[in-house]
Amino acid sequence: MDQDRYPDLGPKLTADDFLDAMRKVHNIWPRAVAEGSTGYERTWWIDDKLVAHHWPQRKRAPEPLWLRIRSG
């Protein structure tokens, strides 16, 4: 289920699509890598540190996305 799993990461932002989310995450964490195998929810990691999370704003719709990014 796609949901806001990590509210401690930072303020809730929006992203138009996966590429927009990637740009926003990489602006703060250039080495971050997205992980996730099902659905449209993804976590972003550097080594074993969770740095961001994005998920769909609506059920069964891949975009737009909600996004939280840990401050650098």
Side-chain angles (χ1 to χ4, degrees), residues 11-45:
K12 194 175 187 181
L13 309 170
T14 60
D16 295 331
D17 54 29
F18 179 84
L19 291 177
D20 187 34
M22 182 174 65
R23 281 190 290 270
K24 289 177 178 181
V25 171
H26 283 168
N27 187 47
I28 298 170
W29 301 99
R31 294 181 28 241
V33 176
E35 290 185 356
S37 60
T38 61
Y40 300 101
E41 182 177 1
R42 296 291 180 266
T43 52
W44 294 80
W45 300 82

